[in-house]
Amino acid sequence: MARPRKPLLSRDRIIEAASALVDAEGLDAVSTRRLAAELGVSGPSLYNHFRNKDEILDAVADAVSAQVDLSMFEVSDARDWPAALHDWAVSYRAALAAHPHIVPVLAQGPGRRPAGLRVADAVFGAMVRAGWPPAQATYIGALMRYFITGSALGSFARGFVDDETAYDPADYPHLGQAHLLADRRQQVDEGAFETGLRALLDGLALQYQQTAGGRTVRRSPNGA
């Protein structure tokens, strides 16, 4: 009986394998030799699809960007710009939270990555349609990326140990409950993100009233 044929090597297979390695072991785990072994192919065969490790990591990062929902920025969507930014930010952070080890690559910006550029284009276009001056729309895209990627780079709650004795009240009179934070990581981190996001959007709404000539903030992304 003939052996079953191995699946043909493709960009998608390489990206999938690299993504699994990054998720499981971090960026340093990715090498062309390791990927070739994981895929059951020779190392040089990878170079038919990617020139080097950096290109592979770029592709992994772009695959994560492609998971971000952009429907709220479509012209036909009825959400106003603050709601659109909020819902997009939640979707973006969820994608990063599912793949935290790739965040340092994404934090560098989209470069030439198609999905990353589509994200930037969607945000900028929606803000301009909503009445923001182009320069301010650029600033909004930048600050949202800073906030979202920054929130995904690490966990505030995880930074505290679950040992009550580490927080002697004589030294840290206000950290009596800090040992509970690690067990409540998701609640704390998501609550902090939502609190910061709401504050950020409230501040932008005030700027919008001034920058856009005092027009109401209840506008859809298409400016209607």
Side-chain angles (χ1 to χ4, degrees):
M1 181 180 296
R3 290 183 179 180
R5 296 180 61 187
K6 291 182 179 179
L8 293 175
L9 188 62
S10 65
R11 284 180 61 90
D12 288 344
R13 282 193 67 211
I14 297 170
I15 294 169
E16 183 179 355
S19 181
L21 273 179
V22 172
D23 287 346
E25 302 180 33
L27 296 174
D28 290 341
V30 178
S31 68
T32 54
R33 179 178 296 180
R34 177 76 181 275
L35 281 173
E38 293 285 335
L39 291 164
V41 299
S42 63
S45 63
L46 297 179
Y47 296 116
N48 293 325
H49 302 278
F50 296 97
R51 289 183 297 179
N52 50 45
K53 172 182 172 177
D54 288 342
E55 282 196 356
I56 294 172
L57 292 178
D58 259 357
V60 172
D62 212 39
V64 173
S65 294
Q67 299 172 19
V68 180
D69 182 13
L70 299 177
S71 63
M72 66 287 296
F73 296 131
E74 294 176 0
V75 174
S76 59
D77 193 280
R79 278 168 281 193
D80 60 19
W81 68 264
L85 276 181
H86 174 276
D87 294 349
W88 165 70
V90 170
S91 175
Y92 195 177
R93 183 180 182 276
L96 299 189
H99 307 280
H101 291 150
I102 199 65
V103 174
V105 179
L106 284 162
Q108 297 172 10
R112 297 178 181 271
R113 299 191 293 267
L117 290 171
R118 281 193 291 272
V119 171
D121 181 74
V123 175
F124 179 80
M127 294 305 99
V128 170
R129 288 196 305 273
W132 285 98
Q136 289 297 114
T138 300
Y139 302 155
I140 290 170
L143 74 88
M144 293 298 289
R145 181 163 65 83
Y146 298 154
F147 177 69
I148 297 166
T149 57
S151 74
L153 280 172
S155 166
F156 175 83
R158 190 177 288 167
F160 294 84
V161 299
D162 61 0
D163 179 4
E164 188 174 4
T165 64
Y167 307 103
D168 188 329
D171 296 321
Y172 315 107
H174 306 296
L175 296 182
Q177 301 296 307
H179 65 286
L180 303 175
L181 291 176
D183 286 340
R184 302 174 184 176
R185 180 183 63 82
Q186 183 173 355
Q187 176 186 351
V188 172
D189 292 345
E190 290 184 358
F193 178 77
E194 183 66 24
T195 298
L197 180 59
R198 291 290 182 184
L200 189 156
L201 293 174
D202 286 347
L204 284 177
L206 292 176
Q207 289 188 35
Y208 181 82
Q209 291 177 327
Q210 301 170 357
T211 304
R215 287 174 282 181
T216 177
V217 300
R218 300 298 300 178
R219 301 186 61 181
S220 64
N222 65 357

